[in-house]
Amino acid sequence: MTALLEIEDLRVRYAIEGGSVEAVAGVDLALEAGQALGLAGESGCGKTTTALSIPRLLPESATVTGRIELGGTDLLALSEHELNDVRWRRVSVVFQGAMNALNPVERIGAQILEPIRLHEHETSTQEGRVRVAELLEAVGIPADRARDYPHELSGGMRQRVMIAMALACRPDLVIADEPVTALDVMTQAQILTLLRDLRVRLGLSMILISHDLSVLAETCDRVAIMYAGRLVEEGPVAALFPPVPVPPARAAGGPAHPYTQGLLQAFPNIRGERRFVDGMPGYPPDLASPPSGCRFHERCPVRIERCVTDDPALRAAGPSHVAACHLVGVEP
């Protein structure tokens, strides 16, 4: 199947005083039509920078190189004017923090209508209002709430409005950046159920960014794990998130990279053996002066001498499953 989205050797460098920092270093990803891909990793690992590189919504201090193709269109070759035909219509974003992303002095119906009027000139205002009502109903909000202001809605309802805005122009790809952050557990479950239902009903492709591995396990088909600007593991949800904890000495299946294993061991498993949750010692490296070799070697419990000097390439760890670790494929 031809991929809807192809990212090859993506590199993003931010200019800082006295130099620059490479926040994303050579990421390769592909997403098929109708598929959901999760991006996980600690804060500052490059998840949001990678995702926002697609619609080119990074600040002016960012320099992006590599290849990003959406449905055969090279997005990095487009002018700002040409990107207006891509944003909202072909790719849209559910931004983190609905209260901050919504305009507090404009009614939610007008905010959902705005991208339709900007990008679909052939759509009349009346037709747009009908679609706004349909979008609100689709995300579980009564159409008559279109005249409400954001402060009149709960946190979960505001997040639903953000999802309705992202769907306003019927895009091929939706990027959801931490869509359930700061919501209570019940509301999180409702939003995730909504995203799954909309994916199936509308045939959406989705990139979901989250720190919560359980969110990705429930919502996505594939998961990519990032660390210090690098892609360290990528594969099907069933391969990375097995039903029982995987020990550090990797059994058949399960996560292949020690970082992914550490993330899972730091997360409670209600179906596994009751035990204390293990934290991961240390901190991610400073990207202004990243370490040599594998960027995870300073925190890795199974590092070998080669890890300090040689940067591992992605290797096959199973069917459609790759990991950047020198120990992948090595017999214990």
Side-chain angles (χ1 to χ4, degrees), residues 63-138:
T63 300
V64 183
T65 61
R67 184 174 68 90
I68 303 176
E69 285 196 5
L70 179 67
T73 301
D74 184 355
L75 300 185
L76 295 185
L78 299 182
S79 66
E80 190 66 25
H81 177 72
E82 291 170 325
L83 281 169
N84 287 335
D85 291 329
V86 173
R87 295 170 182 154
W88 292 103
R89 299 193 70 165
R90 298 184 62 188
V91 55
S92 62
V93 182
V94 179
F95 290 100
Q96 184 176 354
M99 193 61 197
N100 297 326
L102 291 170
N103 186 335
V105 296
E106 191 170 2
R107 300 180 194 276
I108 62 169
Q111 296 188 57
I112 298 172
L113 179 61
E114 183 178 13
I116 298 174
R117 297 180 66 181
L118 284 175
H119 297 278
E120 297 184 13
H121 302 296
E122 70 281 2
T123 302
S124 68
T125 300
Q126 182 56 35
E127 290 172 334
R129 287 175 179 159
V130 170
R131 197 193 301 178
V132 168
E134 293 172 347
L135 286 164
L136 287 174
E137 294 286 352

Side-chain angles (χ1 to χ4, degrees), residues 167-184:
L167 300 177
C169 294
R170 306 183 179 102
D172 299 317
L173 172 64
V174 173
I175 298 170
D177 188 3
E178 299 277 4
V180 294
T181 295
L183 300 178
D184 64 81

Side-chain angles (χ1 to χ4, degrees), residues 42-43 49 74 94 96 115 204 225 228 259 262-263 281 289 307 315:
E42 293 169 276
S43 295
T49 293
D74 184 355
V94 179
Q96 184 176 354
L204 290 172
I225 307 295
Y259 179 61
L263 290 178
S289 55
C307 300
R315 306 179 180 193

Side-chain angles (χ1 to χ4, degrees), residues 155-168:
M157 293 180 76
R158 287 194 293 265
Q159 196 63 60
R160 291 170 185 264
V161 171
M162 291 297 299
I163 294 171
M165 287 180 65
L167 300 177

Side-chain angles (χ1 to χ4, degrees), residues 4-332:
L4 170 71
L5 174 71
E6 291 183 315
I7 298 175
E8 184 177 334
D9 194 26
L10 177 67
R11 297 179 182 272
V12 181
R13 187 171 288 275
Y14 288 107
I16 60 173
E17 186 176 352
S20 64
V21 171
E22 192 173 45
V24 176
V27 166
D28 297 330
L29 286 173
L31 179 68
E32 295 180 358
Q35 196 174 60
L37 172 69
L39 283 180
E42 293 169 276
S43 295
C45 72
K47 305 183 300 295
T48 297
T49 293
T50 297
L52 294 186
S53 297
I54 299 167
R56 304 228 331 245
L57 291 176
L58 297 175
E60 292 183 358
S61 60
T63 300
V64 183
T65 61
R67 184 174 68 90
I68 303 176
E69 285 196 5
L70 179 67
T73 301
D74 184 355
L75 300 185
L76 295 185
L78 299 182
S79 66
E80 190 66 25
H81 177 72
E82 291 170 325
L83 281 169
N84 287 335
D85 291 329
V86 173
R87 295 170 182 154
W88 292 103
R89 299 193 70 165
R90 298 184 62 188
V91 55
S92 62
V93 182
V94 179
F95 290 100
Q96 184 176 354
M99 193 61 197
N100 297 326
L102 291 170
N103 186 335
V105 296
E106 191 170 2
R107 300 180 194 276
I108 62 169
Q111 296 188 57
I112 298 172
L113 179 61
E114 183 178 13
I116 298 174
R117 297 180 66 181
L118 284 175
H119 297 278
E120 297 184 13
H121 302 296
E122 70 281 2
T123 302
S124 68
T125 300
Q126 182 56 35
E127 290 172 334
R129 287 175 179 159
V130 170
R131 197 193 301 178
V132 168
E134 293 172 347
L135 286 164
L136 287 174
E137 294 286 352
V139 298
I141 297 177
D144 59 8
R145 300 297 298 269
R147 292 187 56 79
D148 287 359
Y149 291 96
H151 71 270
E152 297 178 283
L153 304 178
S154 67
M157 293 180 76
R158 287 194 293 265
Q159 196 63 60
R160 291 170 185 264
V161 171
M162 291 297 299
I163 294 171
M165 287 180 65
L167 300 177
C169 294
R170 306 183 179 102
D172 299 317
L173 172 64
V174 173
I175 298 170
D177 188 3
E178 299 277 4
V180 294
T181 295
L183 300 178
D184 64 81
V185 174
M186 293 301 295
T187 305
Q188 284 185 22
Q190 293 168 4
I191 295 297
L192 293 176
T193 299
L194 172 63
L195 289 173
R196 284 197 301 268
D197 291 346
L198 289 171
R199 263 192 65 210
V200 173
R201 196 188 325 160
L202 303 177
L204 290 172
S205 298
M206 185 179 299
I207 294 177
L208 180 62
I209 303 169
S210 181
H211 291 93
D212 191 336
L213 299 181
S214 64
V215 167
L216 303 184
E218 291 181 17
T219 312
C220 298
D221 303 305
R222 301 182 63 80
V223 174
I225 307 295
M226 294 188 66
Y227 182 78
R230 297 277 178 88
L231 183 68
V232 297
E233 187 160 8
E234 195 258 337
V237 163
L240 269 69
F241 302 140
V244 294
V246 174
R250 184 184 176 232
H257 197 282
Y259 179 61
T260 311
Q261 294 171 12
L263 290 178
L264 284 178
Q265 289 161 16
F267 197 84
N269 189 322
I270 61 174
R271 296 182 180 87
E273 178 186 352
R274 294 184 65 180
R275 60 181 178 81
F276 287 106
V277 174
D278 297 324
M280 193 180 304
Y283 299 92
D286 182 358
L287 294 182
S289 55
S292 60
C294 175
R295 295 189 176 188
F296 185 61
H297 79 260
E298 294 175 342
R299 305 171 69 187
C300 183
V302 294
R303 68 177 178 269
I304 57 178
E305 185 176 346
R306 185 181 176 189
C307 300
V308 181
T309 56
D310 296 346
D311 187 15
L314 289 169
R315 306 179 180 193
S320 302
H321 181 188
V322 294
C325 178
H326 292 304
L327 297 180
V328 171
V330 176
E331 292 295 329

